[in-house]
């Protein structure tokens, strides 16, 4: 198993938040135009955010969830998931484990019980491979509530799952009948 990355310092976190915002939601705010797959030229990003390549490399490498990825040549960068801008990430369909998890909070439960999981502003519903990760996702908003997703049943219904480069499972929606509270 790889060593746990050192806890990022405040500057790394600050730049990471900025990068998330720019690469997922508002590239236009700093004059960037990602291609269809969400990639932007690294040089343009460095200029736009006034970063050095070494600073960017450090933020990408130390990011706690490995949110950003360089392409094979290292000349382009994108967020691995979480976009609200239109992107085709190009992940191939994958068969998920039979169970996945979703972290949320109490105040969304009534709507989730009625409608199932919906993507909201993002392109897909984000599901976690384990309860602890889901709990951390839910805890961003308050006291976490974890839902178990019968992913095998969602697959049987015909839904297509993909897995992002940083291990998040993505699907269009999950109907309420395939959700149970952990
Ligand atoms: C809730 C973070 C009402 C859903 C995390 C969630 C994740 C509903 C919120 C990634 C609903 C959407 C994504 C329905 C779902 N009615 N509320 N029908 N269906 N919801 O942030 O999953 O740090 O778009 O439970 O770690 O919280 O950004 O999704 O609370 O991987 O890299 O609507 O974002 O990663 O919120 O988080 P989000 P999420 P990063």
């Amino acid at each position: 198993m790889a060593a746990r990355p050192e806890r990022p310092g405040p500057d790394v976190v600050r730049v990471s938040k900025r990068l998330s915002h720019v690469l997922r939601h508002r590239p236009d705010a700093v004059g960037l135009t990602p291609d269809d797959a969400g990639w932007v030229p690294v040089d343009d990003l460095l200029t736009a955010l006034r970063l050095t390549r070494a600073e960017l490399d450090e933020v990408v490498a130390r990011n706690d969830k490995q949110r950003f990825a360089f392409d094979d040549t290292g000349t382009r960068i994108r967020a691995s998931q979480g976009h609200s801008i239109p992107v085709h990430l190009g992940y191939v369909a994958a068969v998920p484990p039979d169970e996945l998890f979703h972290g949320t909070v109490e105040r969304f439960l009534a709507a989730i019980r009625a409608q199932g999981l919906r993507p909201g502003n993002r392109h897909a519903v984000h599901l976690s491979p384990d309860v602890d990760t889901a709990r951390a996702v839910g805890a961003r908003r308050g006291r976490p509530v974890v839902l178990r997703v019968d992913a095998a049943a969602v697959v049987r219904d015909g839904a297509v799952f993909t897995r992002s480069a940083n291990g998040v499972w993505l699907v269009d929606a999950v109907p309420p009948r395939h959700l149970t509270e952990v």
Side-chain angles (χ1 to χ4, degrees):
M1 208 167 120
R4 219 181 162 74
E6 200 182 317
R7 198 178 164 77
D11 232 22
V12 170
V13 172
R14 188 180 56 78
V15 175
S16 167
K17 287 191 170 170
R18 184 106 199 277
L19 271 184
S20 285
H21 182 69
V22 163
L23 293 175
R24 291 170 169 177
H25 310 298
R26 289 300 309 274
D28 56 304
V30 293
L32 295 172
T33 309
D35 73 6
D36 290 350
W39 297 108
V40 303
V42 170
D43 287 343
D44 295 357
L45 181 73
L46 297 178
T47 306
L49 299 188
R50 296 185 199 182
L51 291 172
T52 65
R53 176 74 199 224
E55 286 166 342
L56 180 66
D57 285 348
E58 188 184 350
V59 169
V60 171
R62 289 177 63 186
N63 192 261
D64 58 350
K65 294 186 191 165
Q66 297 294 300
R67 290 178 180 87
F68 314 108
F70 292 111
D71 71 358
D72 291 342
T73 65
T75 60
R76 298 184 307 164
I77 186 171
R78 73 177 182 182
S80 292
Q81 36 68 229
H83 301 77
S84 60
I85 56 165
V87 280
H88 298 287
L89 294 171
Y91 297 127
V92 292
V95 178
D98 288 352
E99 284 187 344
L100 288 168
F101 300 91
H102 180 82
T104 188
V105 282
E106 179 75 33
R107 65 182 185 277
F108 295 145
L109 284 183
I112 292 172
R113 282 194 196 106
Q115 306 167 348
L117 294 174
R118 299 270 183 88
N121 292 332
R122 310 203 198 223
H123 292 284
V125 170
H126 286 51
L127 302 174
S128 306
D130 56 76
V131 174
D132 286 348
T133 306
R135 192 172 289 126
V137 171
R140 287 151 56 235
R141 299 200 156 82
R143 201 167 67 81
V145 174
V146 175
L147 303 175
R148 177 180 284 108
V149 176
D150 185 347
V154 179
V155 169
R156 281 197 297 276
D157 284 357
V160 174
F161 283 77
T162 58
R163 188 172 174 272
S164 73
N166 59 337
V168 178
W169 284 93
L170 306 170
V171 69
D172 286 344
V174 177
R177 63 181 178 280
H178 298 321
L179 294 169
T180 47
E181 251 179 78
V182 170

